Amino acid sequence: IDLGSEGELHAFTEMRLGAPLGFVEDLPFCIGIVKIGGLYLSTRIDDATYQDLRIGMKVQLKMIRLDDGRVFYRFTPSS
């Protein structure tokens, strides 16, 4: 399924405590709900602080491929 590469931010918050195992060293980071291709995804928002984000802003898909074969889908603010 091709969902495209640009989505729209519908909700967001900043995680400061309680990150899942393996992500504690990344705190704080932003997470949000992004609408892309008609779906709503819960995702991490990279390269932005809480103050940078706005409801309705456009975000770009960013794929993170790990050495063990797993893939994470994240988003960054559109330029």
Short mmCIF file of all heavy atoms in Angstrom, two decimals, residues 9-75:
data_model
loop_
_atom_site.label_atom_id
_atom_site.label_comp_id
_atom_site.label_asym_id
_atom_site.label_seq_id
_atom_site.Cartn_x
_atom_site.Cartn_y
_atom_site.Cartn_z
N LEU A 9 -0.14 16.54 10.90
CA LEU A 9 -0.10 16.32 12.35
C LEU A 9 -1.44 16.68 12.97
O LEU A 9 -1.92 17.79 12.82
CB LEU A 9 1.02 17.17 12.96
CG LEU A 9 1.36 16.94 14.41
CD1 LEU A 9 1.81 15.50 14.65
CD2 LEU A 9 2.44 17.91 14.86
N HIS A 10 -2.06 15.71 13.66
CA HIS A 10 -3.38 15.91 14.26
C HIS A 10 -3.33 16.10 15.77
O HIS A 10 -4.24 16.71 16.34
CB HIS A 10 -4.32 14.76 13.91
CG HIS A 10 -4.95 14.94 12.57
ND1 HIS A 10 -6.26 15.28 12.41
CD2 HIS A 10 -4.43 14.86 11.33
CE1 HIS A 10 -6.52 15.40 11.13
NE2 HIS A 10 -5.43 15.14 10.45
N ALA A 11 -2.32 15.56 16.43
CA ALA A 11 -2.14 15.71 17.88
C ALA A 11 -0.68 15.42 18.20
O ALA A 11 -0.01 14.71 17.45
CB ALA A 11 -3.06 14.75 18.63
N PHE A 12 -0.19 15.97 19.31
CA PHE A 12 1.20 15.71 19.69
C PHE A 12 1.40 16.01 21.17
O PHE A 12 0.61 16.72 21.79
CB PHE A 12 2.17 16.53 18.84
CG PHE A 12 2.06 18.01 19.02
CD1 PHE A 12 2.83 18.68 19.95
CD2 PHE A 12 1.18 18.75 18.24
CE1 PHE A 12 2.73 20.06 20.11
CE2 PHE A 12 1.06 20.12 18.39
CZ PHE A 12 1.84 20.78 19.33
N THR A 13 2.47 15.44 21.70
CA THR A 13 2.90 15.71 23.06
C THR A 13 4.39 15.43 23.15
O THR A 13 4.99 14.92 22.20
CB THR A 13 2.11 14.86 24.09
OG1 THR A 13 2.39 15.36 25.41
CG2 THR A 13 2.47 13.40 24.01
N GLU A 14 4.98 15.78 24.27
CA GLU A 14 6.39 15.53 24.49
C GLU A 14 6.54 14.47 25.57
O GLU A 14 5.97 14.61 26.65
CB GLU A 14 7.11 16.81 24.90
CG GLU A 14 8.60 16.64 25.08
CD GLU A 14 9.27 17.94 25.44
OE1 GLU A 14 8.99 18.48 26.53
OE2 GLU A 14 10.07 18.42 24.63
N MET A 15 7.27 13.42 25.28
CA MET A 15 7.54 12.39 26.27
C MET A 15 8.80 12.78 27.04
O MET A 15 9.85 12.97 26.44
CB MET A 15 7.71 11.02 25.60
CG MET A 15 7.95 9.92 26.61
SD MET A 15 7.79 8.28 25.89
CE MET A 15 6.03 8.09 25.97
N ARG A 16 8.65 12.91 28.35
CA ARG A 16 9.78 13.29 29.21
C ARG A 16 10.18 12.16 30.15
O ARG A 16 11.32 12.11 30.58
CB ARG A 16 9.43 14.52 30.03
CG ARG A 16 9.24 15.76 29.20
CD ARG A 16 8.82 16.92 30.06
NE ARG A 16 8.63 18.10 29.24
CZ ARG A 16 9.22 19.25 29.48
NH1 ARG A 16 10.01 19.38 30.51
NH2 ARG A 16 8.99 20.26 28.70
N LEU A 17 9.23 11.30 30.49
CA LEU A 17 9.45 10.18 31.40
C LEU A 17 8.74 8.95 30.87
O LEU A 17 7.78 9.06 30.10
CB LEU A 17 8.89 10.49 32.80
CG LEU A 17 9.48 11.67 33.54
CD1 LEU A 17 8.63 12.00 34.77
CD2 LEU A 17 10.90 11.39 33.96
N GLY A 18 9.17 7.77 31.30
CA GLY A 18 8.44 6.55 30.99
C GLY A 18 8.60 6.04 29.57
O GLY A 18 7.72 5.34 29.07
N ALA A 19 9.71 6.35 28.94
CA ALA A 19 9.94 5.86 27.57
C ALA A 19 10.15 4.35 27.60
O ALA A 19 10.65 3.79 28.57
CB ALA A 19 11.16 6.55 26.96
N PRO A 20 9.78 3.66 26.52
CA PRO A 20 10.00 2.22 26.44
C PRO A 20 11.50 1.88 26.51
O PRO A 20 12.35 2.71 26.17
CB PRO A 20 9.44 1.84 25.07
CG PRO A 20 8.57 2.97 24.67
CD PRO A 20 9.11 4.19 25.34
N LEU A 21 11.78 0.67 26.92
CA LEU A 21 13.16 0.19 27.01
C LEU A 21 13.87 0.41 25.68
O LEU A 21 13.32 0.12 24.61
CB LEU A 21 13.15 -1.30 27.35
CG LEU A 21 14.51 -1.95 27.63
CD1 LEU A 21 15.16 -1.30 28.85
CD2 LEU A 21 14.34 -3.43 27.85
N GLY A 22 15.05 0.96 25.74
CA GLY A 22 15.82 1.25 24.53
C GLY A 22 15.67 2.67 24.03
O GLY A 22 16.40 3.10 23.14
N PHE A 23 14.70 3.42 24.60
CA PHE A 23 14.48 4.80 24.16
C PHE A 23 14.69 5.82 25.27
O PHE A 23 14.55 7.01 25.05
CB PHE A 23 13.06 4.95 23.59
CG PHE A 23 12.84 4.16 22.34
CD1 PHE A 23 12.24 2.91 22.39
CD2 PHE A 23 13.24 4.64 21.11
CE1 PHE A 23 12.04 2.17 21.24
CE2 PHE A 23 13.06 3.91 19.95
CZ PHE A 23 12.45 2.66 20.02
N VAL A 24 15.02 5.34 26.47
CA VAL A 24 15.19 6.23 27.63
C VAL A 24 16.27 7.27 27.35
O VAL A 24 16.11 8.45 27.70
CB VAL A 24 15.50 5.42 28.90
CG1 VAL A 24 15.81 6.34 30.07
CG2 VAL A 24 14.33 4.51 29.24
N GLU A 25 17.35 6.87 26.68
CA GLU A 25 18.45 7.80 26.42
C GLU A 25 18.06 8.89 25.41
O GLU A 25 18.74 9.89 25.28
CB GLU A 25 19.70 7.06 25.93
CG GLU A 25 19.52 6.32 24.63
CD GLU A 25 18.90 4.93 24.78
OE1 GLU A 25 18.68 4.45 25.90
OE2 GLU A 25 18.60 4.34 23.73
N ASP A 26 16.94 8.71 24.72
CA ASP A 26 16.47 9.70 23.74
C ASP A 26 15.61 10.80 24.36
O ASP A 26 15.27 11.77 23.69
CB ASP A 26 15.66 9.03 22.64
CG ASP A 26 16.47 8.09 21.78
OD1 ASP A 26 17.71 8.14 21.85
OD2 ASP A 26 15.86 7.29 21.05
N LEU A 27 15.19 10.62 25.61
CA LEU A 27 14.29 11.60 26.25
C LEU A 27 14.93 12.97 26.33
O LEU A 27 16.14 13.06 26.51
CB LEU A 27 13.92 11.13 27.66
CG LEU A 27 13.00 9.93 27.73
CD1 LEU A 27 12.88 9.44 29.18
CD2 LEU A 27 11.62 10.23 27.18
N PRO A 28 14.16 14.05 26.23
CA PRO A 28 12.76 14.09 25.82
C PRO A 28 12.63 13.99 24.30
O PRO A 28 13.54 14.37 23.56
CB PRO A 28 12.28 15.45 26.31
CG PRO A 28 13.50 16.32 26.24
CD PRO A 28 14.67 15.39 26.53
N PHE A 29 11.47 13.49 23.82
CA PHE A 29 11.19 13.46 22.39
C PHE A 29 9.68 13.62 22.19
O PHE A 29 8.90 13.41 23.10
CB PHE A 29 11.73 12.20 21.70
CG PHE A 29 11.23 10.90 22.25
CD1 PHE A 29 10.02 10.36 21.85
CD2 PHE A 29 12.00 10.19 23.15
CE1 PHE A 29 9.58 9.14 22.35
CE2 PHE A 29 11.57 8.96 23.65
CZ PHE A 29 10.36 8.44 23.25
N CYS A 30 9.31 14.01 20.97
CA CYS A 30 7.90 14.25 20.66
C CYS A 30 7.27 13.04 19.99
O CYS A 30 7.93 12.34 19.21
CB CYS A 30 7.76 15.47 19.75
SG CYS A 30 8.25 17.01 20.56
N ILE A 31 6.01 12.81 20.31
CA ILE A 31 5.21 11.78 19.66
C ILE A 31 3.91 12.43 19.21
O ILE A 31 3.49 13.45 19.75
CB ILE A 31 4.93 10.58 20.60
CG1 ILE A 31 4.31 11.04 21.91
CG2 ILE A 31 6.20 9.80 20.85
CD1 ILE A 31 3.92 9.92 22.85
N GLY A 32 3.30 11.85 18.19
CA GLY A 32 2.08 12.47 17.69
C GLY A 32 1.20 11.50 16.92
O GLY A 32 1.57 10.35 16.69
N ILE A 33 0.05 12.00 16.53
CA ILE A 33 -0.87 11.29 15.66
C ILE A 33 -0.82 11.99 14.30
O ILE A 33 -1.08 13.19 14.20
CB ILE A 33 -2.33 11.33 16.20
CG1 ILE A 33 -2.40 10.76 17.61
CG2 ILE A 33 -3.27 10.60 15.23
CD1 ILE A 33 -2.08 9.29 17.72
N VAL A 34 -0.45 11.22 13.27
CA VAL A 34 -0.29 11.76 11.92
C VAL A 34 -1.29 11.08 11.00
O VAL A 34 -1.42 9.85 11.01
CB VAL A 34 1.15 11.53 11.40
CG1 VAL A 34 1.26 11.91 9.93
CG2 VAL A 34 2.14 12.33 12.23
N LYS A 35 -1.99 11.87 10.21
CA LYS A 35 -2.89 11.33 9.18
C LYS A 35 -2.11 11.28 7.87
O LYS A 35 -1.58 12.28 7.41
CB LYS A 35 -4.13 12.20 9.01
CG LYS A 35 -5.10 11.63 8.00
CD LYS A 35 -6.35 12.48 7.89
CE LYS A 35 -7.32 11.84 6.89
NZ LYS A 35 -8.50 12.69 6.69
N ILE A 36 -2.06 10.08 7.30
CA ILE A 36 -1.37 9.88 6.03
C ILE A 36 -2.12 8.81 5.24
O ILE A 36 -2.45 7.75 5.77
CB ILE A 36 0.12 9.51 6.22
CG1 ILE A 36 0.84 9.42 4.88
CG2 ILE A 36 0.27 8.25 7.07
CD1 ILE A 36 2.35 9.33 4.99
N GLY A 37 -2.45 9.13 4.01
CA GLY A 37 -3.15 8.17 3.15
C GLY A 37 -4.46 7.68 3.72
O GLY A 37 -4.83 6.53 3.51
N GLY A 38 -5.16 8.51 4.48
CA GLY A 38 -6.44 8.13 5.06
C GLY A 38 -6.33 7.37 6.37
O GLY A 38 -7.35 7.03 6.98
N LEU A 39 -5.11 7.08 6.84
CA LEU A 39 -4.90 6.39 8.10
C LEU A 39 -4.36 7.35 9.16
O LEU A 39 -3.70 8.34 8.83
CB LEU A 39 -3.88 5.26 7.93
CG LEU A 39 -4.23 4.15 6.96
CD1 LEU A 39 -3.06 3.19 6.83
CD2 LEU A 39 -5.48 3.42 7.41
N TYR A 40 -4.62 7.04 10.41
CA TYR A 40 -4.05 7.79 11.53
C TYR A 40 -3.01 6.91 12.20
O TYR A 40 -3.32 5.80 12.63
CB TYR A 40 -5.14 8.18 12.53
CG TYR A 40 -6.08 9.22 11.99
CD1 TYR A 40 -7.21 8.86 11.29
CD2 TYR A 40 -5.82 10.57 12.19
CE1 TYR A 40 -8.09 9.82 10.78
CE2 TYR A 40 -6.68 11.54 11.70
CZ TYR A 40 -7.81 11.15 11.00
OH TYR A 40 -8.65 12.11 10.50
N LEU A 41 -1.76 7.39 12.28
CA LEU A 41 -0.67 6.63 12.86
C LEU A 41 -0.15 7.31 14.12
O LEU A 41 0.04 8.52 14.13
CB LEU A 41 0.49 6.51 11.87
CG LEU A 41 0.21 5.90 10.51
CD1 LEU A 41 1.46 5.95 9.64
CD2 LEU A 41 -0.29 4.47 10.66
N SER A 42 0.09 6.53 15.14
CA SER A 42 0.79 7.00 16.33
C SER A 42 2.27 6.85 16.04
O SER A 42 2.74 5.76 15.71
CB SER A 42 0.38 6.17 17.54
OG SER A 42 1.14 6.54 18.66
N THR A 43 3.03 7.93 16.16
CA THR A 43 4.41 7.91 15.67
C THR A 43 5.29 8.89 16.44
O THR A 43 4.81 9.80 17.11
CB THR A 43 4.42 8.26 14.17
OG1 THR A 43 5.75 8.15 13.67
CG2 THR A 43 3.88 9.65 13.91
N ARG A 44 6.54 8.70 16.31
CA ARG A 44 7.52 9.63 16.87
C ARG A 44 7.76 10.74 15.85
O ARG A 44 7.79 10.51 14.64
CB ARG A 44 8.82 8.89 17.17
CG ARG A 44 9.81 9.76 17.88
CD ARG A 44 10.83 8.89 18.56
NE ARG A 44 12.05 9.65 18.79
CZ ARG A 44 13.09 9.15 19.42
NH1 ARG A 44 13.09 7.92 19.85
NH2 ARG A 44 14.16 9.90 19.60
N ILE A 45 7.94 11.96 16.35
CA ILE A 45 8.24 13.11 15.50
C ILE A 45 9.70 13.50 15.77
O ILE A 45 10.03 13.93 16.87
CB ILE A 45 7.32 14.32 15.81
CG1 ILE A 45 5.85 13.91 15.82
CG2 ILE A 45 7.60 15.46 14.83
CD1 ILE A 45 5.30 13.44 14.51
N ASP A 46 10.56 13.33 14.79
CA ASP A 46 11.99 13.63 14.94
C ASP A 46 12.30 15.06 14.48
O ASP A 46 11.52 15.67 13.75
CB ASP A 46 12.83 12.66 14.10
CG ASP A 46 12.89 11.27 14.70
OD1 ASP A 46 12.55 11.09 15.89
OD2 ASP A 46 13.31 10.35 13.98
N ASP A 47 13.46 15.54 14.89
CA ASP A 47 14.00 16.83 14.43
C ASP A 47 13.09 18.00 14.76
O ASP A 47 13.00 18.97 13.99
CB ASP A 47 14.28 16.80 12.93
CG ASP A 47 15.21 15.67 12.54
OD1 ASP A 47 16.11 15.33 13.35
OD2 ASP A 47 15.04 15.11 11.44
N ALA A 48 12.39 17.92 15.91
CA ALA A 48 11.50 19.01 16.33
C ALA A 48 11.34 18.98 17.85
O ALA A 48 11.35 17.91 18.46
CB ALA A 48 10.14 18.89 15.67
N THR A 49 11.19 20.15 18.43
CA THR A 49 10.83 20.26 19.84
C THR A 49 9.33 20.46 19.93
O THR A 49 8.66 20.76 18.93
CB THR A 49 11.54 21.46 20.52
OG1 THR A 49 11.04 22.67 19.93
CG2 THR A 49 13.05 21.37 20.36
N TYR A 50 8.80 20.34 21.12
CA TYR A 50 7.37 20.55 21.35
C TYR A 50 6.96 21.94 20.84
O TYR A 50 5.91 22.09 20.22
CB TYR A 50 7.07 20.41 22.84
CG TYR A 50 5.63 20.59 23.20
CD1 TYR A 50 4.74 19.53 23.11
CD2 TYR A 50 5.15 21.83 23.62
CE1 TYR A 50 3.40 19.69 23.44
CE2 TYR A 50 3.81 22.00 23.95
CZ TYR A 50 2.95 20.93 23.85
OH TYR A 50 1.62 21.09 24.17
N GLN A 51 7.80 22.93 21.08
CA GLN A 51 7.49 24.31 20.68
C GLN A 51 7.46 24.50 19.17
O GLN A 51 6.83 25.42 18.67
CB GLN A 51 8.49 25.29 21.31
CG GLN A 51 8.39 25.41 22.80
CD GLN A 51 9.02 24.25 23.57
OE1 GLN A 51 9.77 23.45 23.04
NE2 GLN A 51 8.68 24.14 24.85
N ASP A 52 8.14 23.61 18.44
CA ASP A 52 8.18 23.71 16.98
C ASP A 52 6.91 23.21 16.31
O ASP A 52 6.62 23.56 15.16
CB ASP A 52 9.33 22.85 16.40
CG ASP A 52 10.70 23.32 16.82
OD1 ASP A 52 10.88 24.53 17.08
OD2 ASP A 52 11.61 22.47 16.89
N LEU A 53 6.15 22.36 17.00
CA LEU A 53 5.03 21.65 16.38
C LEU A 53 3.72 22.42 16.48
O LEU A 53 3.50 23.16 17.43
CB LEU A 53 4.87 20.27 17.02
CG LEU A 53 6.09 19.36 16.92
CD1 LEU A 53 5.86 18.07 17.67
CD2 LEU A 53 6.45 19.09 15.46
N ARG A 54 2.85 22.21 15.49
CA ARG A 54 1.53 22.84 15.43
C ARG A 54 0.53 21.84 14.85
O ARG A 54 0.85 21.12 13.89
CB ARG A 54 1.52 24.08 14.53
CG ARG A 54 2.45 25.18 14.98
CD ARG A 54 1.90 25.92 16.20
NE ARG A 54 2.82 26.91 16.69
CZ ARG A 54 3.68 26.75 17.71
NH1 ARG A 54 3.74 25.59 18.33
NH2 ARG A 54 4.46 27.71 18.10
N ILE A 55 -0.67 21.82 15.38
CA ILE A 55 -1.74 20.99 14.82
C ILE A 55 -1.97 21.43 13.37
O ILE A 55 -2.03 22.61 13.07
CB ILE A 55 -3.05 21.15 15.64
CG1 ILE A 55 -2.85 20.73 17.09
CG2 ILE A 55 -4.20 20.40 14.98
CD1 ILE A 55 -2.52 19.27 17.28
N GLY A 56 -2.08 20.47 12.48
CA GLY A 56 -2.32 20.76 11.06
C GLY A 56 -1.06 20.93 10.23
O GLY A 56 -1.16 21.01 9.00
N MET A 57 0.11 20.97 10.87
CA MET A 57 1.33 21.16 10.08
C MET A 57 1.64 19.90 9.26
O MET A 57 1.25 18.80 9.62
CB MET A 57 2.52 21.55 10.96
CG MET A 57 3.15 20.43 11.76
SD MET A 57 4.49 20.97 12.87
CE MET A 57 5.66 21.65 11.72
N LYS A 58 2.29 20.10 8.14
CA LYS A 58 2.68 19.00 7.26
C LYS A 58 3.97 18.37 7.80
O LYS A 58 4.87 19.07 8.26
CB LYS A 58 2.91 19.49 5.83
CG LYS A 58 1.67 20.11 5.21
CD LYS A 58 0.56 19.10 5.10
CE LYS A 58 -0.65 19.73 4.44
NZ LYS A 58 -1.83 18.90 4.56
N VAL A 59 4.02 17.03 7.72
CA VAL A 59 5.19 16.28 8.16
C VAL A 59 5.56 15.26 7.09
O VAL A 59 4.72 14.80 6.33
CB VAL A 59 4.93 15.57 9.52
CG1 VAL A 59 4.85 16.60 10.65
CG2 VAL A 59 3.67 14.73 9.49
N GLN A 60 6.86 14.94 7.03
CA GLN A 60 7.39 14.01 6.03
C GLN A 60 7.72 12.67 6.68
O GLN A 60 8.30 12.62 7.76
CB GLN A 60 8.67 14.58 5.40
CG GLN A 60 8.45 15.74 4.48
CD GLN A 60 7.70 15.35 3.24
OE1 GLN A 60 6.70 15.97 2.92
NE2 GLN A 60 8.13 14.33 2.53
N LEU A 61 7.41 11.59 5.98
CA LEU A 61 7.74 10.25 6.42
C LEU A 61 9.25 10.04 6.44
O LEU A 61 9.95 10.46 5.53
CB LEU A 61 7.09 9.23 5.48
CG LEU A 61 7.33 7.76 5.78
CD1 LEU A 61 6.74 7.38 7.13
CD2 LEU A 61 6.73 6.90 4.68
N LYS A 62 9.72 9.38 7.49
CA LYS A 62 11.14 9.07 7.66
C LYS A 62 11.22 7.61 8.10
O LYS A 62 10.66 7.25 9.13
CB LYS A 62 11.75 10.00 8.71
CG LYS A 62 13.16 9.69 9.10
CD LYS A 62 13.60 10.65 10.20
CE LYS A 62 14.96 10.31 10.73
NZ LYS A 62 15.35 11.22 11.84
N MET A 63 11.90 6.77 7.33
CA MET A 63 12.02 5.35 7.69
C MET A 63 13.36 5.11 8.37
O MET A 63 14.39 5.55 7.88
CB MET A 63 11.89 4.48 6.45
CG MET A 63 10.50 4.50 5.86
SD MET A 63 10.31 3.55 4.34
CE MET A 63 11.05 2.01 4.72
N ILE A 64 13.32 4.40 9.49
CA ILE A 64 14.52 4.03 10.23
C ILE A 64 14.67 2.53 10.12
O ILE A 64 13.82 1.78 10.60
CB ILE A 64 14.41 4.44 11.72
CG1 ILE A 64 14.04 5.91 11.89
CG2 ILE A 64 15.67 4.05 12.48
CD1 ILE A 64 15.10 6.87 11.45
N ARG A 65 15.73 2.06 9.47
CA ARG A 65 15.99 0.62 9.31
C ARG A 65 17.09 0.22 10.30
O ARG A 65 18.19 0.77 10.26
CB ARG A 65 16.43 0.30 7.90
CG ARG A 65 15.36 0.58 6.88
CD ARG A 65 15.85 0.25 5.47
NE ARG A 65 14.94 0.76 4.47
CZ ARG A 65 13.89 0.08 4.02
NH1 ARG A 65 13.63 -1.11 4.48
NH2 ARG A 65 13.10 0.62 3.10
N LEU A 66 16.79 -0.75 11.16
CA LEU A 66 17.76 -1.25 12.12
C LEU A 66 18.54 -2.42 11.54
O LEU A 66 18.07 -3.10 10.62
CB LEU A 66 17.06 -1.68 13.40
CG LEU A 66 16.22 -0.60 14.10
CD1 LEU A 66 15.62 -1.15 15.39
CD2 LEU A 66 17.05 0.63 14.39
N ASP A 67 19.72 -2.66 12.09
CA ASP A 67 20.57 -3.75 11.61
C ASP A 67 19.90 -5.12 11.71
O ASP A 67 20.21 -6.02 10.95
CB ASP A 67 21.89 -3.76 12.37
CG ASP A 67 22.75 -2.54 12.07
OD1 ASP A 67 22.57 -1.93 11.01
OD2 ASP A 67 23.60 -2.20 12.92
N ASP A 68 18.97 -5.27 12.67
CA ASP A 68 18.31 -6.56 12.85
C ASP A 68 17.12 -6.76 11.91
O ASP A 68 16.38 -7.73 12.02
CB ASP A 68 17.88 -6.75 14.30
CG ASP A 68 16.84 -5.74 14.77
OD1 ASP A 68 16.31 -4.97 13.94
OD2 ASP A 68 16.55 -5.73 15.98
N GLY A 69 16.89 -5.81 10.99
CA GLY A 69 15.83 -5.95 10.01
C GLY A 69 14.54 -5.22 10.34
O GLY A 69 13.67 -5.09 9.49
N ARG A 70 14.41 -4.74 11.57
CA ARG A 70 13.19 -4.00 11.93
C ARG A 70 13.19 -2.64 11.26
O ARG A 70 14.23 -2.07 10.99
CB ARG A 70 13.08 -3.83 13.45
CG ARG A 70 12.81 -5.13 14.17
CD ARG A 70 12.69 -4.91 15.64
NE ARG A 70 14.00 -4.49 16.17
CZ ARG A 70 14.16 -3.89 17.34
NH1 ARG A 70 13.13 -3.61 18.12
NH2 ARG A 70 15.37 -3.55 17.75
N VAL A 71 11.98 -2.13 11.02
CA VAL A 71 11.80 -0.82 10.41
C VAL A 71 10.86 -0.01 11.28
O VAL A 71 9.81 -0.49 11.67
CB VAL A 71 11.22 -0.93 8.98
CG1 VAL A 71 10.99 0.46 8.39
CG2 VAL A 71 12.14 -1.75 8.09
N PHE A 72 11.26 1.22 11.59
CA PHE A 72 10.40 2.16 12.32
C PHE A 72 10.00 3.27 11.37
O PHE A 72 10.80 3.75 10.58
CB PHE A 72 11.14 2.76 13.53
CG PHE A 72 11.35 1.80 14.66
CD1 PHE A 72 12.56 1.15 14.80
CD2 PHE A 72 10.34 1.54 15.56
CE1 PHE A 72 12.76 0.26 15.84
CE2 PHE A 72 10.53 0.65 16.60
CZ PHE A 72 11.74 0.01 16.74
N TYR A 73 8.75 3.69 11.47
CA TYR A 73 8.26 4.80 10.67
C TYR A 73 8.10 6.00 11.57
O TYR A 73 7.37 5.96 12.55
CB TYR A 73 6.92 4.43 10.01
CG TYR A 73 7.06 3.27 9.08
CD1 TYR A 73 6.77 1.98 9.49
CD2 TYR A 73 7.51 3.46 7.78
CE1 TYR A 73 6.93 0.89 8.63
CE2 TYR A 73 7.67 2.39 6.91
CZ TYR A 73 7.38 1.11 7.35
OH TYR A 73 7.55 0.06 6.51
N ARG A 74 8.79 7.06 11.25
CA ARG A 74 8.74 8.30 12.01
C ARG A 74 8.45 9.43 11.04
O ARG A 74 8.44 9.24 9.82
CB ARG A 74 10.06 8.56 12.73
CG ARG A 74 10.41 7.49 13.74
CD ARG A 74 11.71 7.83 14.42
NE ARG A 74 12.08 6.82 15.41
CZ ARG A 74 13.18 6.88 16.12
NH1 ARG A 74 14.02 7.89 15.96
NH2 ARG A 74 13.45 5.94 16.98
N PHE A 75 8.26 10.61 11.58
CA PHE A 75 7.99 11.78 10.74
C PHE A 75 8.86 12.94 11.19
O PHE A 75 9.29 13.00 12.34
CB PHE A 75 6.51 12.16 10.82
CG PHE A 75 5.61 11.21 10.08
CD1 PHE A 75 5.19 10.04 10.67
CD2 PHE A 75 5.22 11.49 8.78
CE1 PHE A 75 4.38 9.14 9.99
CE2 PHE A 75 4.42 10.60 8.08
CZ PHE A 75 3.99 9.44 8.69
#
